[in-house]
Structures are given as C-alpha cells and as structure tokens.
Amino acid sequence: MVKGSQKIVAADKGIPIIDMSQERSRVSMQIVKACETLGFFKVVNHGFDRTIISRMEQESINFFAKSVHEKKSVESVNQPFRYGFRDIGLNGDSGEVEYLLFHTNDPAFSSKPSFRSAVNCYIEAVRQLAHEILELTAEGLGVPPHTFSRLISSVDSDSILRVNHYPPSDQFFGGATHTDKSVSLTRVGFGEHTDPQILTVLRSNGVGGLQVSNPDGMWVPVFPDPSAFCVNVGDLLQVMTNGRFISVRHRALTYGKESRLSTSFFAGPPLQAKIGPLQAMVTAANQPRLYQTFTWSEYKKLAYSLRLEDSRLDMFRTDRLRLEIAKWKLTRDLAHKDPMRGGIGHRFYCPFVSRLRGLYPQWYWAKAGCGTIGWPA
C-alpha cells in the first residue's frame, strides 16, 4: 500500500523533454543537464520504428491475456529470464505486477515465432537508441564518444529486457476487487528503487503509474506518452561520472480501470567489466574519487542480495570504505587485547572481517594476500 506521507507534485513537473531531431551538440548538452539535475528525461522524435513498437506491444498484450497456466509454461533458456508475477527479486519484495524477462544476447523462450521475432526486433532497435543516447552523453561530457556505448555494444554485454504488466486497480493479483472497502485503489506495482545498470530506456502505453523522485524528495508522476521514451540514469553511470549524474529513484503505482504495459531495456556491461569513476570526471570536478572500482559481476551480486529500496551504491563509496577500515582496525586491536577465541574481542572482530570481505572483496583479498588480515594469535 502507498504511504500517505509521501508528497506528490504535478505530473511531469521538472522532467526534461528532449527533442532528438535538434542539432546534435544541443541534444548532448540537454542530456547532460537532465542527468545532472534529475537523472531522468524523455526523448521525442527519436526515430524508433513505430511498426516495431506496435508489434512488441500487441504481442505482449496477447501474452498477458493468456491463462496463468499458459504464462507459467513459458520457459527461457537462461533462468531467471522467465515469466513471473508479484515476486520481485529474491528477498521478499512484491508488487501488483506480472512480467517477462529476457537476456538481450539470447532472448530465446518457448513461445510462438511471432512473439520471438517481435522481441528480437525490439531489442535490436532499443539497443541502438540506448547506444546513441550514451554517445551523445559522452560528447556532452567531453569524453571519447564510445566511453559508455562500448560497454553495451560488446557481444557479452549483460543487458536485459523486461516487460511489465500492471493490472487495473480492481484486478489485483492478491484477489482484492473494486468492491473491497478496506482496500486502497492505489497500490504499489513496483516499489521504490534505482536501476543498477548503466542506463534504462523505457516505453509504456497510454496509462500512467510511473513516478520519479525529484531532488526535494517529492514524487513526480510521469505523464504517459506512448510516442516518447523515458530514460533514466542507472547506478553504474552515477559511479562512472563520480556522482555528477544522479541514479534516480523511481516506482510504479497501479490505479484506475486500465492496465499498464511497460517495456524496459536495462543497458548493462559485460560481467567482468571494471566500473569506476572516470579520471576525466575526477579531474574536471577537482574532487576525490567517490567510489571504488569494481566489476559489474560484483555489483550485480550485491544488488540482487538486497531489498529494492536499499541504497546499494553506499556500499562502494570510498568514504564508507575508510569508515569500515577504521572500525576493522578498532575491533582488530580489541581482539589482540583479548586473545581468547570466543572472547568479546573476537565476537566483534569476526563479523567485521566477514563484512569487509563481502562488501569490498578486492580490498580484502589484497590485504589477505599480504598477510595483514587474519585472526589474532
């Protein structure tokens, strides 16, 4: 259920709408400004083939109209890329949503050929749009054009496509109906979160529900425009720009008498790609690195081990690492003063070592290899 204390402002208030048919340098600067101020914007006149959009939308509508048994019978080559409903992730998050997940490098699944064809065509087209947006972003920042786009163009990039279907407010998956007096007609379809990847490119039908959090902490409803694509900064892009860009928090609500359909492309890098602040971003801002360098695999593993609303990036901040190291040194000294295994020193020290190993594996194993981490004698 939606929390009543959270303030909501007028639809589209402060949300940039960028016309991609403008002069290139103007578009690139507008994208950078939008990423700095909100981390979210819409693009219009993007050149996306309307036929591809229509096919994808119609095939998705046809699929979600099937019986639950038929939908559950869909199997993907790569689990957990599959059909699901209500459950979001593996840690207890849920919402009024059913969905399909596809890995963009191998979207094969057991469904009719027309759906597979529609998915493949859509993936190729939306990947090209994301590629173009990332190149424009790089140009606006004054870094080499392929700085970001190369990460999603690689043959082993870890991008995914997610199709979400949010039912009308009188058809909740939990069994509630419009006549249930105790049930709020506005429910959380997909809870508050940021996206862990580089960039998300989303399109929905003409039904509202998406909201983004502005710098004042208020929720801004996104006016539904089927001709536009919504773009939001992901966690990795915030890291690579050393905090200059904002990985925007957003959510989806269900209300009204129409179902909402959204299709999101999450542009991700290869699993072993190293992600960290670009030196150009650190130098230009004349500030220290705010984040450690890590692989997408490490970050992805952490991201999927937490709840939706958790602040994942905090785990990789350099100032957080310094704080954790200070705590580790304190507990290490305490353990040395209390050498009996099972004593208070060890009871404090052991959990901190495990915590450091989980949060900062590269730092931990570097120290472990040097013999500077270990149990006190």
Side-chain angles (χ1 to χ4, degrees):
M1 193 167 297
V2 181
K3 298 176 183 177
S5 60
Q6 295 173 309
K7 294 183 178 180
I8 299 176
V9 299
D12 270 6
K13 183 177 181 180
I15 294 179
I17 300 176
I18 300 175
D19 184 345
M20 293 190 71
S21 67
Q22 300 176 93
E23 198 272 327
R24 188 174 182 85
S25 62
R26 182 175 176 82
V27 175
S28 64
M29 295 309 297
Q30 289 179 352
I31 289 176
V32 168
K33 183 177 180 181
C35 292
E36 291 174 331
T37 56
L38 184 61
F40 183 93
F41 56 95
K42 294 180 180 180
V43 293
V44 296
N45 294 324
H46 37 68
F48 205 108
D49 190 334
R50 283 291 312 171
T51 303
I52 293 175
I53 292 174
S54 298
R55 284 182 61 206
M56 182 67 194
E57 183 170 304
Q58 189 57 56
E59 290 291 346
S60 299
I61 291 171
N62 294 343
F63 174 83
F64 288 117
K66 296 176 182 290
S67 68
V68 174
H69 175 74
E70 287 180 286
K71 287 182 284 192
K72 284 185 174 181
S73 68
V74 171
E75 295 181 356
S76 171
V77 174
N78 295 308
Q79 294 296 328
F81 301 102
R82 56 177 174 76
Y83 168 78
F85 68 99
R86 297 214 68 177
D87 291 337
I88 301 171
L90 306 173
N91 300 295
D93 291 299
S94 64
E96 296 298 331
V97 62
E98 60 179 338
Y99 57 87
L100 277 169
L101 282 174
F102 308 101
H103 194 287
T104 60
N105 282 348
D106 188 12
F109 60 103
S110 57
S111 186
K112 62 180 184 178
S114 62
F115 197 2
R116 288 200 298 271
S117 174
V119 169
N120 286 326
C121 289
Y122 190 90
I123 286 174
E124 182 59 31
V126 75
R127 195 201 316 263
Q128 290 179 6
L129 177 58
H131 184 279
E132 176 68 3
I133 291 171
L134 287 173
E135 296 218 331
L136 286 162
T137 302
E139 291 171 22
L141 288 172
V143 298
H146 304 310
T147 299
F148 308 119
S149 61
R150 64 179 176 81
L151 293 170
I152 71 167
S153 302
S154 172
V155 293
D156 56 350
S157 67
D158 188 38
S159 300
I160 62 174
L161 187 75
R162 182 181 183 111
V163 185
N164 285 341
H165 173 243
Y166 302 93
S169 61
D170 59 348
Q171 296 179 19
F172 293 129
F173 291 115
T177 67
H178 185 80
T179 58
D180 292 334
K181 302 298 184 183
S182 62
V183 176
S184 168
L185 291 181
T186 299
R187 287 289 187 95
V188 175
F190 207 108
E192 174 184 350
H193 64 288
T194 63
D195 293 336
Q197 292 87 357
I198 298 172
L199 193 81
T200 303
V201 180
L202 174 148
R203 182 197 168 274
S204 65
N205 60 0
V207 179
L210 177 63
Q211 297 182 349
V212 297
S213 179
N214 68 15
D216 296 323
M218 297 182 179
W219 288 107
V220 183
V222 179
F223 184 80
D225 180 358
S227 68
F229 280 89
C230 297
V231 181
N232 65 266
V233 172
D235 292 350
L236 299 189
L237 194 52
Q238 178 170 323
V239 170
M240 288 188 282
T241 59
N242 203 37
R244 180 171 171 179
F245 286 1
I246 302 169
S247 182
V248 66
R249 300 189 74 81
H250 53 287
R251 67 182 184 180
L253 303 183
T254 61
Y255 50 79
K257 297 183 179 180
E258 295 181 276
S259 63
R260 177 171 177 262
L261 187 73
S262 70
T263 306
S264 302
F265 174 74
F266 300 94
L271 287 172
Q272 298 309 314
K274 291 186 176 181
I275 305 297
L278 299 174
Q279 187 56 47
M281 296 294 96
V282 175
T283 303
N286 192 27
Q287 65 178 12
R289 290 168 56 98
L290 299 180
Y291 302 98
Q292 307 165 62
T293 296
F294 50 83
T295 65
W296 165 232
S297 177
E298 291 169 343
Y299 190 72
K300 182 178 180 181
K301 182 178 180 181
L302 174 73
Y304 288 99
S305 71
L306 300 175
R307 299 293 298 268
L308 268 180
E309 63 184 12
D310 290 337
S311 298
R312 301 176 291 257
L313 279 180
D314 287 347
M315 304 295 186
F316 289 87
R317 287 185 64 92
T318 53
D319 51 355
R320 183 182 178 90
L321 175 58
R322 285 193 290 269
L323 177 61
E324 294 289 349
I325 292 173
K327 291 179 181 177
W328 161 67
K329 288 180 177 178
L330 179 63
T331 55
R332 179 193 60 183
D333 293 343
L334 181 59
H336 274 294
K337 292 176 182 178
D338 177 25
M340 182 179 295
R341 288 186 180 273
I344 187 170
H346 277 271
R347 290 204 301 275
F348 277 104
Y349 182 70
C350 298
F352 268 114
V353 170
S354 298
R355 179 179 175 82
L356 283 168
R357 181 173 57 195
L359 294 179
Y360 310 107
Q362 292 176 325
W363 179 86
Y364 173 86
W365 291 114
K367 291 293 184 182
C370 298
T372 53
I373 289 182
W375 305 117

